[in-house]
Amino acid sequence: QVQLVESGGGLVQAGGSLRLSCAVSGRTFSSYAMGWFRQAPGKEREFVAAISWSGHSTYYTDSVKGRFTISRDNSKNTVYLQMNSLKPEDTAVYYCAAERTMGQALDVMPVQYHYWGQGTQVTVSS
């Protein structure tokens, strides 16, 4: 069974930075594309960023381009989300997700991901 555990969330002032980590159990991490999603109170879960199994392809939602960077270390079964220049509108619970795929195409819909973490809260104060 695949388990995902996020960490690194917290409270930060606007303009600050946080780095989220997602540790994935199991020996097939390198065969998963990984994504980060977020959900603010009263809103639907939305796509933030994704990275292919090889790390060669990445994709971001427009609102975080230039501020967030997704990366992965397949030797550590971990995916990261570096978040810089944080804004109050980035406040949400952040989830990592895994999709069983060896392709380079990246998916943005939550339903396309097979495994999810429990989420980590990110709060950005103004």
Side-chain angles (χ1 to χ4, degrees):
Q1 184 162 348
V2 178
Q3 291 187 320
L4 287 68
V5 179
E6 301 99 335
S7 61
L11 173 64
V12 64
Q13 288 188 331
S17 298
L18 284 173
R19 188 176 83 152
L20 305 183
S21 299
C22 175
V24 181
S25 67
R27 286 181 276 182
T28 57
F29 175 72
S30 61
S31 64
Y32 298 138
M34 298 298 298
W36 285 97
F37 292 77
R38 64 188 180 187
Q39 188 166 17
K43 294 188 177 181
E44 292 187 353
R45 192 167 298 189
E46 66 171 353
F47 171 80
V48 176
I51 188 167
S52 61
W53 67 272
S54 64
H56 291 160
S57 296
T58 59
Y59 185 69
Y60 301 88
T61 192
D62 286 346
S63 62
V64 308
K65 284 180 182 177
R67 300 189 299 122
F68 291 11
T69 302
I70 188 171
S71 61
R72 66 189 295 160
D73 186 339
N74 285 352
S75 68
K76 296 182 178 180
N77 281 18
T78 302
V79 63
Y80 306 96
L81 186 68
Q82 177 67 43
M83 304 186 296
N84 299 329
S85 302
L86 282 162
K87 304 176 181 180
E89 51 264 44
D90 295 319
T91 295
V93 177
Y94 282 71
Y95 299 89
C96 70
E99 179 185 6
R100 293 190 304 269
T101 177
M102 296 294 286
Q104 294 299 313
L106 299 172
D107 292 315
V108 302
M109 297 299 292
V111 68
Q112 293 163 312
Y113 287 78
H114 301 100
Y115 306 104
W116 290 84
Q118 82 290 346
T120 185
Q121 177 70 47
V122 171
T123 303
V124 184
S125 63
S126 57

